[in-house]
Amino acid sequence: MSDRRRHIGNRENPPESSCLGIFGLSLYTTERDLRDVFSRYGPIEKVHVVYDHQTGRSRGFAFLTFETHDDANEAKVRTNGMEVDGRRIRVDFSITKRAHTPTPGIYMGKPTRPRERDSGYGYGRRRSPSPYNRGSPRYKSRYSRSRSRSFSPRRY
Protein backbone atom coordinates (compact mmCIF):
# COMPACT_ATOMS: atom_id res chain seq x y z
CA MET A 1 0.00 0.00 0.00
CA SER A 2 1.41 3.40 -0.86
CA ASP A 3 1.77 6.32 1.49
CA ARG A 4 -0.13 8.65 -0.82
CA ARG A 5 -3.56 9.34 0.60
CA ARG A 6 -6.34 11.01 -1.28
CA HIS A 7 -8.20 11.92 1.87
CA ILE A 8 -7.56 13.58 5.18
CA GLY A 9 -9.17 12.79 8.52
CA ASN A 10 -11.50 9.86 9.02
CA ARG A 11 -14.83 8.93 7.51
CA GLU A 12 -16.76 9.08 10.79
CA ASN A 13 -15.79 12.68 11.60
CA PRO A 14 -14.52 14.45 8.48
CA PRO A 15 -13.12 17.98 8.85
CA GLU A 16 -15.31 20.89 7.73
CA SER A 17 -14.76 22.00 4.17
CA SER A 18 -16.70 23.68 1.39
CA CYS A 19 -17.01 20.35 -0.48
CA LEU A 20 -19.88 17.99 0.35
CA GLY A 21 -20.22 14.34 -0.56
CA ILE A 22 -23.80 13.34 -1.36
CA PHE A 23 -24.48 9.61 -1.13
CA GLY A 24 -27.45 7.31 -1.82
CA LEU A 25 -28.59 9.14 -4.94
CA SER A 26 -30.96 7.67 -7.48
CA LEU A 27 -29.39 6.56 -10.74
CA TYR A 28 -31.50 9.20 -12.45
CA THR A 29 -30.49 12.20 -10.32
CA THR A 30 -28.64 14.77 -12.44
CA GLU A 31 -26.30 17.64 -11.64
CA ARG A 32 -29.15 20.04 -12.41
CA ASP A 33 -31.41 18.31 -9.83
CA LEU A 34 -28.70 18.68 -7.17
CA ARG A 35 -28.06 22.29 -8.11
CA ASP A 36 -31.80 23.01 -7.72
CA VAL A 37 -31.92 21.39 -4.26
CA PHE A 38 -28.69 22.83 -2.84
CA SER A 39 -28.58 26.31 -4.41
CA ARG A 40 -31.00 27.70 -1.81
CA TYR A 41 -28.26 27.36 0.84
CA GLY A 42 -25.68 29.47 -0.97
CA PRO A 43 -23.76 29.97 -4.21
CA ILE A 44 -22.45 26.70 -5.66
CA GLU A 45 -19.02 26.55 -7.25
CA LYS A 46 -19.17 23.05 -8.74
CA VAL A 47 -21.42 19.96 -8.92
CA HIS A 48 -20.05 16.59 -10.02
CA VAL A 49 -22.16 13.41 -10.24
CA VAL A 50 -19.89 10.35 -10.50
CA TYR A 51 -20.69 8.08 -13.45
CA ASP A 52 -19.52 4.55 -14.24
CA HIS A 53 -17.08 4.74 -17.14
CA GLN A 54 -18.24 1.57 -18.90
CA THR A 55 -22.01 1.84 -18.55
CA GLY A 56 -22.42 5.61 -18.37
CA ARG A 57 -24.83 5.24 -15.43
CA SER A 58 -24.60 7.16 -12.18
CA ARG A 59 -22.75 5.40 -9.36
CA GLY A 60 -25.17 6.90 -6.82
CA PHE A 61 -23.01 9.64 -5.31
CA ALA A 62 -21.86 13.16 -6.12
CA PHE A 63 -19.65 15.97 -4.90
CA LEU A 64 -20.84 19.52 -4.52
CA THR A 65 -18.58 22.50 -3.73
CA PHE A 66 -19.92 25.68 -2.17
CA GLU A 67 -18.10 29.00 -2.25
CA THR A 68 -17.94 29.20 1.57
CA HIS A 69 -17.62 26.74 4.46
CA ASP A 70 -20.64 28.26 6.21
CA ASP A 71 -22.95 27.62 3.25
CA ALA A 72 -21.70 24.04 2.99
CA ASN A 73 -22.26 23.48 6.72
CA GLU A 74 -25.82 24.81 6.55
CA ALA A 75 -26.60 22.68 3.48
CA LYS A 76 -25.18 19.58 5.20
CA VAL A 77 -27.30 20.10 8.31
CA ARG A 78 -30.52 20.83 6.40
CA THR A 79 -30.29 18.25 3.61
CA ASN A 80 -28.87 15.20 5.39
CA GLY A 81 -31.69 12.61 5.35
CA MET A 82 -33.72 14.56 2.78
CA GLU A 83 -35.49 12.62 0.02
CA VAL A 84 -34.35 13.38 -3.55
CA ASP A 85 -35.85 11.49 -6.51
CA GLY A 86 -37.43 8.96 -4.15
CA ARG A 87 -34.17 8.15 -2.32
CA ARG A 88 -33.09 9.29 1.15
CA ILE A 89 -29.66 10.92 0.76
CA ARG A 90 -26.73 11.15 3.16
CA VAL A 91 -24.75 14.38 3.06
CA ASP A 92 -21.34 14.73 4.67
CA PHE A 93 -18.17 16.74 4.26
CA SER A 94 -15.89 15.25 1.62
CA ILE A 95 -12.70 13.65 2.90
CA THR A 96 -10.90 13.67 -0.45
CA LYS A 97 -8.25 16.31 -1.11
CA ARG A 98 -8.39 15.99 -4.89
CA ALA A 99 -10.32 14.20 -7.60
CA HIS A 100 -9.38 10.56 -8.11
CA THR A 101 -7.24 9.70 -11.09
CA PRO A 102 -9.36 7.98 -13.72
CA THR A 103 -8.63 4.30 -14.24
CA PRO A 104 -9.05 2.16 -17.34
CA GLY A 105 -11.52 -0.16 -15.61
CA ILE A 106 -9.18 -3.14 -15.66
CA TYR A 107 -6.25 -4.10 -13.48
CA MET A 108 -3.00 -2.97 -15.12
CA GLY A 109 -0.50 -4.35 -12.57
CA LYS A 110 1.47 -7.56 -12.46
CA PRO A 111 -0.50 -10.83 -12.43
CA THR A 112 -0.99 -12.28 -8.97
CA ARG A 113 0.16 -15.77 -9.93
CA PRO A 114 2.79 -16.82 -12.44
CA ARG A 115 1.53 -17.97 -15.82
CA GLU A 116 1.98 -21.56 -16.88
CA ARG A 117 4.92 -21.98 -19.26
CA ASP A 118 3.42 -24.55 -21.63
CA SER A 119 -0.30 -24.01 -21.10
CA GLY A 120 -1.16 -24.36 -24.75
CA TYR A 121 -0.01 -23.68 -28.27
CA GLY A 122 2.00 -20.51 -28.55
CA TYR A 123 1.58 -19.39 -24.94
CA GLY A 124 4.64 -18.96 -22.78
CA ARG A 125 7.16 -19.97 -25.48
CA ARG A 126 9.39 -17.72 -27.48
CA ARG A 127 9.25 -18.39 -31.18
CA SER A 128 11.96 -17.57 -33.65
CA PRO A 129 11.17 -14.70 -35.99
CA SER A 130 9.51 -15.63 -39.24
CA PRO A 131 11.49 -14.82 -42.39
CA TYR A 132 8.19 -14.31 -44.22
CA ASN A 133 7.09 -11.35 -42.12
CA ARG A 134 8.95 -8.85 -44.23
CA GLY A 135 6.62 -5.92 -43.58
CA SER A 136 8.19 -5.33 -40.19
CA PRO A 137 11.44 -3.28 -40.14
CA ARG A 138 12.87 -5.79 -37.66
CA TYR A 139 13.20 -8.43 -40.40
CA LYS A 140 14.35 -6.27 -43.32
CA SER A 141 18.09 -6.25 -42.66
CA ARG A 142 18.25 -9.90 -41.66
CA TYR A 143 16.23 -11.40 -44.48
CA SER A 144 16.59 -8.92 -47.32
CA ARG A 145 16.83 -11.56 -50.08
CA SER A 146 13.59 -11.98 -52.03
CA ARG A 147 11.78 -15.27 -51.64
CA SER A 148 10.17 -17.08 -54.49
CA ARG A 149 8.13 -20.24 -54.48
CA SER A 150 10.46 -22.17 -56.76
CA PHE A 151 13.79 -23.41 -55.42
CA SER A 152 16.88 -21.89 -56.94
CA PRO A 153 20.30 -22.75 -55.51
CA ARG A 154 22.47 -19.94 -54.21
CA ARG A 155 25.46 -18.90 -56.25
CA TYR A 156 28.66 -17.99 -54.44
Side-chain angles (χ1 to χ4, degrees):
M1 203 70 177
S2 78
D3 254 0
R4 294 183 321 161
R5 290 177 53 172
R6 293 188 189 123
H7 57 83
I8 50 178
N10 61 15
R11 293 184 193 282
E12 289 78 32
N13 190 17
E16 275 193 34
S17 70
S18 59
C19 184
L20 297 176
I22 303 154
F23 307 97
L25 294 173
S26 163
L27 298 178
Y28 308 106
T29 303
T30 64
E31 292 177 359
R32 176 179 276 161
D33 297 334
L34 292 176
R35 196 174 284 278
D36 291 344
V37 170
F38 285 88
S39 64
R40 63 182 70 141
Y41 304 107
I44 296 173
E45 201 172 283
K46 184 178 175 184
V47 180
H48 179 71
V49 175
V50 179
Y51 291 97
D52 182 79
H53 181 70
Q54 291 178 329
T55 63
R57 292 174 53 183
S58 169
R59 291 187 56 197
F61 63 97
F63 295 97
L64 192 134
T65 307
F66 280 92
E67 290 183 3
T68 66
H69 293 318
D70 295 335
D71 293 339
N73 194 24
E74 183 182 353
K76 175 190 174 292
V77 169
R78 293 187 182 220
T79 59
N80 194 16
M82 177 188 279
E83 196 167 298
V84 176
D85 285 342
R87 302 281 307 263
R88 190 168 301 276
I89 61 171
R90 179 174 63 88
V91 181
D92 217 334
F93 292 112
S94 175
I95 60 172
T96 57
K97 292 189 277 187
R98 61 177 175 81
H100 294 276
T101 308
T103 59
I106 57 172
Y107 179 66
M108 301 297 285
K110 288 184 176 181
T112 55
R113 59 182 164 77
R115 286 175 48 176
E116 292 290 324
R117 282 237 157 230
D118 289 321
S119 61
Y121 178 76
Y123 294 104
R125 311 187 271 177
R126 300 290 253 152
R127 296 182 349 181
S128 60
S130 169
Y132 302 106
N133 190 1
R134 292 184 2 218
S136 172
R138 172 174 146 180
Y139 299 111
K140 279 201 190 288
S141 64
R142 205 164 172 190
Y143 301 100
S144 59
R145 184 169 78 110
S146 71
R147 305 272 181 180
S148 66
R149 292 183 182 267
S150 63
F151 176 75
S152 47
R154 272 193 154 172
R155 294 184 196 174
Y156 292 100

